[in-house]
Amino acid sequence: MPKPTDTDSPAIQGDIRLDSSVKSTMYYIGGVPVHFPFVPYPSQLGMMNHMIRALNKAQNTMIESPTGSGKSLALLCATLAWRQSFVVRQRKMQENVRQIITRFCMHNTMLLRSRYGSNGTDADPDKKPDAMETHASEKPDILSNNYSFVTLQARAQTLQSETVDFILDTSKKQTLVGLSKDDLATLGEYQNAGKSATQRPRIFFGTRTHKQVAQLVNELRSKTPYRLRTAVLGSRAQTCTHPKAKRAESVDDTCRQLRDDNNCGAYTGFRRVLGSKKLAEGGELEIWDLEDIVSVARPLVACSYYASRELAATAKLVFCPYNYILDPAVRKAAGIELEGNIVILDEAHNIENAARDAGSFEVSDLQLASLAHECSGMFDHGILRNEHLVLKSLADTLAAWLQRDGAAFEYCDYETQTSVWPKPECSVDTLLTDLALTPDYISQVKSAQAKIEDYIASLRTQSNEHGPEDPELLPRDKHVSAGALRVVEGLLRVLKHVAHGSKFATDFRIAVVRHPNPELRTSLKRKRQSAFESKPAFINTLSFWTMNPGVVFSEIAEQTRSIVLTSGTLSPLDSYASELQVDFASTLEANHVIAPSRFCALAVECGPSGVRLEAKYRTSDQLEFQDDVGEAIRAIAARSPDGMLVFMPSYALLNKLIARWEATGRLAEIRSHKTVFVEPQGGTKDQFDKLLLSYRKHLSEPNETGAVMFGVFRGKVSEGIDFSDHFCRTVVNIGIPFPAFKDVKVMLKREYNNEHTMLLNGSKWYDIQAFRAVNQALGRCLRHKDDWGAIIMLEARFVQNANIARLSKWVRGHMRVFGRFENAKQYLDAFYDERISEDAKDMPQVLDAEENVTIVLDE
């Protein structure tokens, strides 16, 4: 354990303040003073030490730490402490360099003159002055040529990097008076550091959802003493307060239109938020989340969305959902600059898929038709006719090709037909040539887009100059929509990558996907809404799918100082470096903070009747399998206290088992022990939130039955939801959730990996996707050091060591394998009895009947 130091010691002079009102202790970890709110767990110490070492070396790293181990707090404290220490070291080095330059100027005045004299023009730096001219006794008045000594010295200090280069170059040719070897070594260190010698690294902390962003902000604000300028980037849907935009189907598009039409008073006054004392240094909301900035902006009739972006431009720490970092278009729109900065991506277990999605692009024939229509309108109005004609031609060409008759589709399922390029008879280059998407034509499109964007920017500038008195300055018929421009921008981005000669040309697959128009899905809609008669029967989508997440991620890695990937469930770690095309110099798999006696992990090969529990496609249709799984669930539900989660590979299997158990009466038996909740397929966020609330509310009320939630791997229940304490004492996993084998993207990805030897082969990649989903589901329980619970794998394949090895470290080291269910049940019953007995000892004494107790549930 590092030696703690009281926080009353003098604060480090960096650009991050320490709030003395927040209790903390200082620990030296990796040579960096870290202020932490309590005695760190061993896993937290390991994380912070690992993190600081990686940042010191400007390396990329991966950290897997189970949920409940204090990962977020450790990451925040370690990163901010490192940055504070780094800035102090920078300032010390800059001060040393400044003093060395001062000594150089005092003792080598003619050299100073040769470099920065001569009316401001550089003399020949190779011209060697006399020894007399560089003697220390020389008086400054010899520089009375045009500039005083003070002026020239100031110029040398202002052009610090240039002066350092000059001194080091000159020192190789002659001895410099007044400078030691140590001085030259310090200047060499400064020179080698490059931009990092002066740049203050900013930190971009990305996570999966806005809710998780809010949790991080709360951790920083309430538990750490670190105070600095922070910002949160969020969507318009969460920050816009304009009543019309909030009611619109697309908040983004409506907001842009209101802004361009100068019909949003909040937008024109968003800078009022920037002057709020609450958000200023030392203000009560110095560290704020989206709800905070909305509460500040609303009474000021100001826009919190644009205010947050303005604040993010100068913040030292920026929180955001990680698609703001991954997606090049979103990153550009948000003004995120990554050069020399630090990127932390939490909940990064899905980062490979997210990066592939960010690098891909899809556009439908309906979107292309809309783009062509808007450009035609601009042409008719005489606005940049040539430029809009180029974009219209692009849209018309692609739409006509998508809708052509006689198109052949090599992949067909119940509703969707897909054709993919390259084909044996047609390469991507041939396809682009057939569509006239030549380099020259793409260059014309890019030029047209740039001129149209400049034109719209000029209109917006005029609008801002005229102010709200002229609301008609930017009428809708004067420019194409933001949505239309996004289509063009997306096409240009992927066409750049698939073009011949691009280093990513072979990493894309171009596809045409045809599927029924969802607006015509029912005959009832067609009968009731005559407008649907004009709707097309099918929608055709042009897709550019990247098989390589490195298309976007390698660009991020090239710019940043360090990338940190972290999650409770990164395992298996094999694929990240090869898939993301990033060198991760180190990895850490942390242990759980929960004592091994507080959880058990079991793998069961056979069910109560001896049926082998292997939820494969063929065996899952067998009634014996379905019945034995149902009996196993009933037996576990009968003994498991409180809440219980059951995960299955697919909704198809979930619905199949529920239907069978309903027919045989098994579900009624389960209901006699637990109230049953089933995660719905699809549905809205509000519907799921209501279901989750009902589950939690039932478990928060006095009852003897508890509850069981049936869900699927990769579903809402298995991702990012906290089921701590009595909300989940048992997690049951059925099967292994391999991706859909016949899914077109999955097949293409497997083929792609098999073609590239530097990647995991297609089969290994396919397996990893399944086990990563399993590990994510396992993390739903055991959320803090005093929690407890059981993990049960009702799947024969998990008795194999090779599959156990693919589980997270904290699970695989404690997995017990049972061939027979009854033996596993006996072990499980003993575990429940012991934990329930321990809980009973720890329960507070029952209050007298006269005492009134009010329980408030946080819903």
Side-chain angles (χ1 to χ4, degrees), residues 612-664:
R612 183 174 170 82
L613 300 177
E614 201 167 19
K616 291 184 176 180
Y617 179 74
R618 293 174 182 174
T619 56
S620 62
D621 280 336
Q622 297 173 2
L623 298 184
E624 295 86 352
F625 168 83
Q626 296 175 12
D627 292 343
D628 229 22
V629 170
E631 174 55 23
I633 296 294
R634 183 209 63 77
I636 296 169
R639 289 293 284 115
S640 172
D642 305 318
M644 174 173 160
L645 302 176
V646 180
F647 294 107
M648 302 189 191
S650 66
Y651 286 106
L653 180 59
L654 173 59
N655 295 333
K656 187 187 300 181
L657 291 180
I658 292 291
R660 173 65 180 174
W661 299 341
E662 187 82 65
T664 61

Side-chain angles (χ1 to χ4, degrees), residues 364-366 402-403 414-417 513-518 520 535-541:
S364 71
D365 51 359
L366 297 182
L402 285 173
Q403 296 167 350
Y414 177 67
E415 287 189 327
T416 305
Q417 300 169 298
V513 182
R514 179 171 293 175
H515 59 85
N517 189 335
L520 301 177
K535 300 285 185 181
F538 292 92
I539 292 178
N540 302 281
T541 302

Side-chain angles (χ1 to χ4, degrees), residues 360-416:
S360 301
F361 180 73
E362 296 183 345
V363 60
S364 71
D365 51 359
L366 297 182
Q367 290 173 295
L368 291 167
S370 177
L371 169 62
H373 176 74
E374 290 189 39
C375 290
S376 180
M378 296 302 103
F379 182 88
D380 292 342
H381 282 83
I383 299 171
L384 296 178
R385 302 185 73 177
N386 290 338
E387 287 73 16
H388 285 105
L389 190 60
V390 169
L391 299 192
K392 180 180 183 303
S393 171
L394 173 68
D396 285 338
T397 299
L398 294 179
W401 179 70
L402 285 173
Q403 296 167 350
R404 70 196 186 283
D405 294 329
F409 297 94
E410 56 265 34
Y411 301 98
C412 301
D413 61 20
Y414 177 67
E415 287 189 327
T416 305

